Amino acid sequence: MPNSTGSNSMFLPFSYNETANTKSCNDQFGMSPDYLWAVREFGGANIARDFSGYSNIIFSNGNLDPWIAGGVTEFIGLKLPYYIIQGGAHHLDLRLPNEKDKGTDVERVRAHETKDLESWIAEYQALTTELKDREDKIIQ
């Protein structure tokens, strides 16, 4: 996995060199890495295009999260909300609420996520009821 760090990182300095890495893989394993495989397989190069067929996914990031650079941080669609937790890191919103959360941005994000989930469940239940009613009419 290509990575590199800066001098202000908690990780040991490491410079990544794609040419040297490719040569090493060829020498050791007789093959070249496919550096774009994950983007082709899972998308992410063009978030609006790559995720256009998806729905009911909540994307949340914390502004203190080092992974935010690879996260969804822009509007994609109504069924793909994203939230930035000010003062938080990744998955803070998924942890159990505690006293330290009072009055913080994570409370706001959790409230929005709860409303999103509730509306998706209600929408699904309404659709299921409608389909069942149609089925019952057909059977009669």
Side-chain angles (χ1 to χ4, degrees):
M1 173 117 188
N3 69 46
S4 62
T5 59
S7 59
N8 295 329
S9 171
M10 68 180 200
F11 299 103
L12 296 174
F14 174 81
S15 294
Y16 178 75
N17 181 311
E18 186 174 313
T19 304
N21 188 64
T22 300
K23 181 179 180 339
S24 175
C25 288
N26 276 318
D27 292 347
Q28 286 183 287
F29 308 110
M31 58 180 65
S32 294
D34 183 354
Y35 294 105
L36 298 177
W37 174 81
V39 172
R40 279 195 320 274
E41 186 70 19
F42 302 113
N46 180 329
I47 292 172
R49 180 197 67 217
D50 295 342
F51 294 168
S52 66
Y54 298 115
S55 66
N56 299 15
I57 301 171
I58 298 170
F59 296 97
S60 66
N61 292 285
N63 72 321
L64 302 179
D65 191 343
W67 310 116
I68 195 169
V72 173
T73 57
E74 63 188 50
F75 179 79
I76 302 171
L78 295 175
K79 296 272 191 128
L80 296 167
Y82 76 96
Y83 301 103
I84 306 295
I85 304 167
Q86 298 302 315
H90 66 284
H91 75 277
L92 178 61
D93 53 326
L94 301 178
R95 293 183 178 199
L96 289 174
N98 66 62
E99 293 294 321
K100 293 180 183 176
D101 294 342
K102 298 285 185 216
T104 65
D105 205 40
V106 71
E107 277 191 321
R108 176 189 65 83
V109 169
R110 284 186 186 128
H112 280 286
E113 291 171 339
T114 299
K115 286 180 184 176
D116 292 335
L117 293 169
E118 287 172 345
S119 71
W120 296 340
I121 290 167
E123 186 179 307
Y124 174 78
Q125 289 173 336
L127 178 62
T128 303
T129 301
E130 180 184 329
L131 292 174
K132 175 118 177 59
D133 290 346
R134 285 185 192 176
E135 184 179 90
D136 290 344
K137 287 178 184 176
I138 292 170
I139 292 172
Q140 293 173 356

